[in-house]
PDB file of all heavy atoms in Angstrom:
ATOM      1  N   ASP B 195     -23.451   1.323  22.576  1.00 97.00           N
ATOM      2  CA  ASP B 195     -24.787   1.281  23.164  1.00 97.00           C
ATOM      3  C   ASP B 195     -25.102   2.583  23.889  1.00 97.00           C
ATOM      4  O   ASP B 195     -26.215   3.104  23.807  1.00 97.00           O
ATOM      5  CB  ASP B 195     -24.913   0.094  24.128  1.00 97.00           C
ATOM      6  CG  ASP B 195     -24.936  -1.230  23.385  1.00 97.00           C
ATOM      7  OD1 ASP B 195     -25.143  -1.217  22.147  1.00 97.00           O
ATOM      8  OD2 ASP B 195     -24.738  -2.285  24.029  1.00 97.00           O
ATOM      9  N   VAL B 196     -24.120   3.099  24.638  1.00 98.00           N
ATOM     10  CA  VAL B 196     -24.327   4.371  25.352  1.00 98.00           C
ATOM     11  C   VAL B 196     -24.670   5.475  24.355  1.00 98.00           C
ATOM     12  O   VAL B 196     -25.584   6.273  24.561  1.00 98.00           O
ATOM     13  CB  VAL B 196     -23.069   4.755  26.163  1.00 98.00           C
ATOM     14  CG1 VAL B 196     -23.223   6.135  26.772  1.00 98.00           C
ATOM     15  CG2 VAL B 196     -22.805   3.720  27.244  1.00 98.00           C
ATOM     16  N   LEU B 197     -23.952   5.496  23.263  1.00 98.00           N
ATOM     17  CA  LEU B 197     -24.191   6.538  22.250  1.00 98.00           C
ATOM     18  C   LEU B 197     -25.597   6.418  21.666  1.00 98.00           C
ATOM     19  O   LEU B 197     -26.321   7.401  21.550  1.00 98.00           O
ATOM     20  CB  LEU B 197     -23.148   6.445  21.132  1.00 98.00           C
ATOM     21  CG  LEU B 197     -21.744   6.944  21.486  1.00 98.00           C
ATOM     22  CD1 LEU B 197     -20.749   6.571  20.405  1.00 98.00           C
ATOM     23  CD2 LEU B 197     -21.745   8.458  21.696  1.00 98.00           C
ATOM     24  N   VAL B 198     -25.958   5.195  21.300  1.00 98.00           N
ATOM     25  CA  VAL B 198     -27.266   4.997  20.681  1.00 98.00           C
ATOM     26  C   VAL B 198     -28.375   5.408  21.646  1.00 98.00           C
ATOM     27  O   VAL B 198     -29.352   6.053  21.264  1.00 98.00           O
ATOM     28  CB  VAL B 198     -27.422   3.532  20.212  1.00 98.00           C
ATOM     29  CG1 VAL B 198     -28.863   3.243  19.821  1.00 98.00           C
ATOM     30  CG2 VAL B 198     -26.498   3.252  19.052  1.00 98.00           C
ATOM     31  N   GLU B 199     -28.181   5.063  22.938  1.00 98.00           N
ATOM     32  CA  GLU B 199     -29.179   5.459  23.944  1.00 98.00           C
ATOM     33  C   GLU B 199     -29.298   6.966  24.052  1.00 98.00           C
ATOM     34  O   GLU B 199     -30.360   7.495  24.359  1.00 98.00           O
ATOM     35  CB  GLU B 199     -28.779   4.913  25.310  1.00 98.00           C
ATOM     36  CG  GLU B 199     -29.367   3.545  25.610  1.00 98.00           C
ATOM     37  CD  GLU B 199     -28.736   2.917  26.836  1.00 98.00           C
ATOM     38  OE1 GLU B 199     -28.421   3.673  27.782  1.00 98.00           O
ATOM     39  OE2 GLU B 199     -28.542   1.689  26.837  1.00 98.00           O
ATOM     40  N   GLN B 200     -28.172   7.660  23.787  1.00 97.00           N
ATOM     41  CA  GLN B 200     -28.160   9.123  23.831  1.00 97.00           C
ATOM     42  C   GLN B 200     -28.689   9.732  22.533  1.00 97.00           C
ATOM     43  O   GLN B 200     -28.671  10.938  22.369  1.00 97.00           O
ATOM     44  CB  GLN B 200     -26.708   9.614  24.017  1.00 97.00           C
ATOM     45  CG  GLN B 200     -26.096   9.335  25.365  1.00 97.00           C
ATOM     46  CD  GLN B 200     -25.992  10.607  26.205  1.00 97.00           C
ATOM     47  OE1 GLN B 200     -26.988  11.304  26.394  1.00 97.00           O
ATOM     48  NE2 GLN B 200     -24.786  10.887  26.688  1.00 97.00           N
ATOM     49  N   ASN B 201     -29.128   8.854  21.618  1.00 97.00           N
ATOM     50  CA  ASN B 201     -29.624   9.327  20.315  1.00 97.00           C
ATOM     51  C   ASN B 201     -28.493   9.894  19.458  1.00 97.00           C
ATOM     52  O   ASN B 201     -28.684  10.825  18.676  1.00 97.00           O
ATOM     53  CB  ASN B 201     -30.700  10.408  20.540  1.00 97.00           C
ATOM     54  CG  ASN B 201     -31.575  10.560  19.323  1.00 97.00           C
ATOM     55  OD1 ASN B 201     -31.673   9.648  18.507  1.00 97.00           O
ATOM     56  ND2 ASN B 201     -32.202  11.712  19.188  1.00 97.00           N
ATOM     57  N   ILE B 202     -27.308   9.314  19.624  1.00 98.00           N
ATOM     58  CA  ILE B 202     -26.130   9.740  18.855  1.00 98.00           C
ATOM     59  C   ILE B 202     -25.692   8.573  17.969  1.00 98.00           C
ATOM     60  O   ILE B 202     -25.509   7.459  18.454  1.00 98.00           O
ATOM     61  CB  ILE B 202     -24.973  10.142  19.799  1.00 98.00           C
ATOM     62  CG1 ILE B 202     -25.415  11.297  20.695  1.00 98.00           C
ATOM     63  CG2 ILE B 202     -23.724  10.517  19.008  1.00 98.00           C
ATOM     64  CD1 ILE B 202     -24.380  11.677  21.746  1.00 98.00           C
ATOM     65  N   VAL B 203     -25.517   8.828  16.685  1.00 98.00           N
ATOM     66  CA  VAL B 203     -25.122   7.769  15.742  1.00 98.00           C
ATOM     67  C   VAL B 203     -23.619   7.504  15.859  1.00 98.00           C
ATOM     68  O   VAL B 203     -22.823   8.434  15.786  1.00 98.00           O
ATOM     69  CB  VAL B 203     -25.436   8.171  14.278  1.00 98.00           C
ATOM     70  CG1 VAL B 203     -25.039   7.050  13.311  1.00 98.00           C
ATOM     71  CG2 VAL B 203     -26.909   8.520  14.119  1.00 98.00           C
ATOM     72  N   PRO B 204     -23.199   6.248  16.094  1.00 98.00           N
ATOM     73  CA  PRO B 204     -21.757   5.969  16.170  1.00 98.00           C
ATOM     74  C   PRO B 204     -21.122   5.923  14.781  1.00 98.00           C
ATOM     75  O   PRO B 204     -21.687   5.363  13.842  1.00 98.00           O
ATOM     76  CB  PRO B 204     -21.697   4.566  16.813  1.00 98.00           C
ATOM     77  CG  PRO B 204     -23.098   4.217  17.192  1.00 98.00           C
ATOM     78  CD  PRO B 204     -24.009   5.048  16.367  1.00 98.00           C
ATOM     79  N   GLY B 205     -19.938   6.534  14.680  1.00 98.00           N
ATOM     80  CA  GLY B 205     -19.199   6.495  13.419  1.00 98.00           C
ATOM     81  C   GLY B 205     -17.803   5.961  13.684  1.00 98.00           C
ATOM     82  O   GLY B 205     -17.381   5.832  14.827  1.00 98.00           O
ATOM     83  N   ILE B 206     -17.062   5.657  12.608  1.00 98.00           N
ATOM     84  CA  ILE B 206     -15.747   5.019  12.772  1.00 98.00           C
ATOM     85  C   ILE B 206     -14.737   5.573  11.780  1.00 98.00           C
ATOM     86  O   ILE B 206     -15.037   5.736  10.587  1.00 98.00           O
ATOM     87  CB  ILE B 206     -15.880   3.487  12.614  1.00 98.00           C
ATOM     88  CG1 ILE B 206     -14.510   2.803  12.632  1.00 98.00           C
ATOM     89  CG2 ILE B 206     -16.600   3.108  11.315  1.00 98.00           C
ATOM     90  CD1 ILE B 206     -13.852   2.744  13.967  1.00 98.00           C
ATOM     91  N   LYS B 207     -13.562   5.908  12.289  1.00 98.00           N
ATOM     92  CA  LYS B 207     -12.479   6.343  11.403  1.00 98.00           C
ATOM     93  C   LYS B 207     -11.918   5.108  10.724  1.00 98.00           C
ATOM     94  O   LYS B 207     -11.567   4.142  11.391  1.00 98.00           O
ATOM     95  CB  LYS B 207     -11.377   7.011  12.232  1.00 98.00           C
ATOM     96  CG  LYS B 207     -10.258   7.605  11.362  1.00 98.00           C
ATOM     97  CD  LYS B 207      -8.824   7.336  11.797  1.00 98.00           C
ATOM     98  CE  LYS B 207      -8.355   7.780  13.128  1.00 98.00           C
ATOM     99  NZ  LYS B 207      -8.069   9.225  13.164  1.00 98.00           N
TER     100      LYS B 207
END
Side-chain angles (χ1 to χ4, degrees):
Chain B
D195 289 345
V196 174
L197 286 170
V198 169
E199 269 169 36
Q200 290 254 53
N201 201 22
I202 300 175
V203 181
I206 174 73
K207 185 225 301 283

